[in-house]
Amino acid sequence: MSNSQGYDNLSVPYAYATETVMAGAVLPAVGILVVALRFYVRSTQKWAVGIDDWLMLPALLAVIGMGATLITGAALGAIGYPTPGYTGNDPLQAYTIIDPPVAITQEIDYANTLCMIAAYGFIKLSILFYYRRLFVAQNNSSFDIVTKISVAAILIWTLAFFLRFVFYCGSHFAANWNGVYDAAAYCPAGDGSNEALVVSELITNIFVICLPLPIVWSLNMSTSRKIGVVGLLLLAAMSIVASILRLIVAFDLIDATTAGADIDPDLSITTILYWSTIEAGIALITANLPSIWSVLARIVRGTGDGLRTLTGLSLGSGSRYGPYGSNRSGRAREIGASYGPATPGMAQRSWGRLTPAMGQSSWGRLRNDSPDSRMGLRRAAENDHVWDGSTMRDPDEYPQMQSPQRTYAKREGSSRGREESIV
């Protein structure tokens, strides 16, 4: 869609109605799916539903609110459309007239910004509490203290900016959308609140995403597995791209306004809200992926198995039993293909010897004996999931890859004391 008024002073292309509606519909829908999967996975695991899970519910509602405001604004002919030009001859009237599409755009901006701040705050808090669930083994450890301070800082950040924008024009709430005259009379001009919001939001994003990297890197795992764990946790970094683009648009608006350049006010607001919604939606989705990764990996593997069966790629040309030349089951063949012969020695090579010495294998022994990292692996084991490079596998599917607690219990008689000595 071309810009009829010739505004071209933004570094980022304007967002119009079509892409805005798509973002407002698709991202909340996918968010609903991943949050539902998160609670489903919790119901099938030994982990109880925790505060990190519950915080995803208000975050989801806030993202849905952001999407709803965009769709409503586009349906009313305001969001995603050029600002209607003033056709009168009275310069004073141009500052006092309230054009309906402009007023609607301002109202949508007000509501979307409040939902945005709430979404960012709840998503960050959920991620921090998820880190605490994984890596905090005892009170007053370094990671425990750092995450507590981080939670307090995010709470303060969320409340401060939420209240600042709720009362941006004091108690004159309608001044946020009642035209230039009311805005000049009741709302602060150039106080830096918008700039502070977008800059601090990007900084806190980077901080929260990078926070667990040192403790993950201290785990006694192979480099490839460390990269896999780090990659899974860093999926939320995809939202940083949208955050940077929103930052660029915000500062473009400041520069253009200061220089008196031609910009389209309504389309500029739409572009900021568009990238804000993309950032919040991607952050919500990726923040849930570590919790539902086992389900997604199982679906992908099942789809791959089905496709190979349909296309005949799983059958060898010169063997009665397929490309692995034995009559092992399909599961055993899959294990053999990925890890070598499915023998008792495989468990020793991959996960350590299934004896009391397991405590010194890659499951149990951690560099510097970090209690926080130790708890992370204990809880991973209790979750009945094991790492395989960059993916998680369910031990129920592979008898040779059962979690240490299960196999050790079968061989040694299953006492709680022995299980606790493993990790």
Side-chain angles (χ1 to χ4, degrees):
M1 180 177 180
S2 63
N3 188 348
S4 60
Q5 300 191 35
Y7 300 124
D8 58 359
N9 287 281
L10 294 184
S11 301
V12 177
Y14 285 132
Y16 291 94
T18 301
E19 55 262 40
T20 302
V21 170
M22 289 181 62
V26 172
L27 291 172
V30 177
I32 292 172
L33 176 62
V34 297
V35 172
L37 279 176
R38 183 187 186 111
F39 280 87
Y40 166 75
V41 170
R42 289 287 181 266
S43 70
T44 63
Q45 293 176 338
K46 296 180 180 179
W47 278 12
V49 176
I51 188 171
D52 57 310
D53 304 311
W54 293 119
L55 285 169
M56 276 298 169
L57 295 180
L60 174 62
L61 291 177
V63 172
I64 292 173
M66 295 178 72
T69 58
L70 294 184
I71 294 172
T72 301
L76 295 175
I79 293 295
Y81 295 93
T83 305
Y86 174 66
T87 57
N89 297 319
D90 186 355
L92 180 61
Q93 188 182 23
Y95 288 94
T96 57
I97 192 173
I98 302 175
D99 193 281
V102 174
I104 292 172
T105 299
Q106 297 292 337
E107 290 175 321
I108 296 298
D109 181 30
Y110 182 77
N112 190 282
T113 299
L114 296 181
C115 290
M116 173 190 68
I117 295 170
Y120 293 161
F122 284 120
I123 291 171
K124 289 183 177 71
L125 289 172
S126 175
I127 293 173
L128 289 172
F129 278 104
Y130 182 70
Y131 292 162
R132 289 183 57 80
R133 184 197 283 249
L134 280 179
F135 299 119
V136 174
Q138 60 187 16
N139 292 329
N140 299 321
S141 65
S142 59
F143 196 74
D144 174 55
I145 295 172
V146 170
T147 51
K148 285 179 178 177
I149 294 174
S150 301
V151 167
I154 296 300
L155 275 173
I156 294 172
W157 180 91
T158 305
L159 288 173
F161 278 107
F162 188 84
L163 294 176
R164 178 69 186 101
F165 281 90
V166 166
F167 300 104
Y168 190 77
C169 299
S171 60
H172 303 278
F173 300 107
N176 288 280
W177 55 82
N178 267 354
V180 177
Y181 185 81
D182 279 4
Y186 302 112
C187 306
D191 69 335
S193 296
N194 286 287
E195 298 91 316
L197 173 63
V198 295
V199 171
S200 62
E201 200 278 324
L202 176 60
I203 293 173
T204 54
N205 264 355
I206 297 173
F207 171 77
V208 170
I209 290 171
C210 296
L211 184 61
L213 300 188
I215 195 168
V216 171
W217 208 254
S218 70
L219 298 176
N220 188 21
M221 298 188 296
S222 66
T223 301
S224 62
R225 287 177 181 160
K226 289 178 183 179
I227 293 174
V229 176
V230 169
L232 191 59
L233 293 176
L234 286 181
L235 286 172
M238 290 189 293
S239 65
I240 292 180
V241 176
S243 181
I244 293 173
L245 291 174
R246 180 167 60 93
L247 182 68
I248 292 173
V249 175
F251 280 95
D252 275 353
L253 285 176
I254 296 172
D255 294 340
T257 303
T258 303
D262 286 332
I263 59 170
D264 188 305
D266 285 5
L267 285 177
S268 298
I269 292 174
T270 298
T271 304
I272 291 179
L273 300 185
Y274 171 75
W275 286 110
S276 298
T277 303
I278 288 180
E279 178 187 0
I282 291 177
L284 177 75
I285 294 167
T286 54
N288 283 282
L289 289 183
S291 296
I292 65 174
W293 190 256
S294 59
V295 174
L296 297 179
R298 198 177 307 164
I299 293 173
V300 171
R301 290 200 306 274
T303 303
D305 291 344
L307 290 175
R308 285 193 297 271
T309 300
L310 290 174
T311 58
L313 294 179
S314 60
L315 298 178
S317 58
S319 170
R320 174 185 174 189
Y321 297 106
Y324 306 113
S326 75
N327 61 352
R328 291 177 292 171
S329 67
R331 287 298 186 191
R333 289 199 303 272
E334 183 178 345
I335 295 171
S338 301
Y339 303 100
T343 64
M346 185 197 72
Q348 178 178 347
R349 290 195 303 274
S350 300
W351 301 104
R353 191 179 300 277
L354 302 179
T355 65
M358 173 72 81
Q360 298 181 6
S361 71
S362 59
W363 268 91
R365 187 173 182 177
L366 309 174
R367 185 185 303 170
N368 299 326
D369 200 28
S370 165
D372 289 336
S373 301
R374 182 186 296 273
M375 181 58 71
L377 285 185
R378 176 195 294 277
R379 288 170 178 167
E382 290 174 353
N383 252 350
D384 292 339
H385 293 96
V386 291
W387 284 103
D388 170 28
S390 60
T391 62
M392 296 179 98
R393 293 179 178 257
D394 190 336
D396 289 333
E397 300 181 5
Y398 305 108
Q400 291 86 355
M401 296 176 62
Q402 289 181 343
S403 60
Q405 283 93 337
R406 290 185 173 186
T407 308
Y408 185 65
K410 289 180 181 179
R411 295 198 173 200
E412 300 294 337
S414 180
S415 72
R416 183 171 181 80
R418 291 190 182 119
E419 289 181 4
E420 292 181 348
S421 69
I422 293 176
V423 181

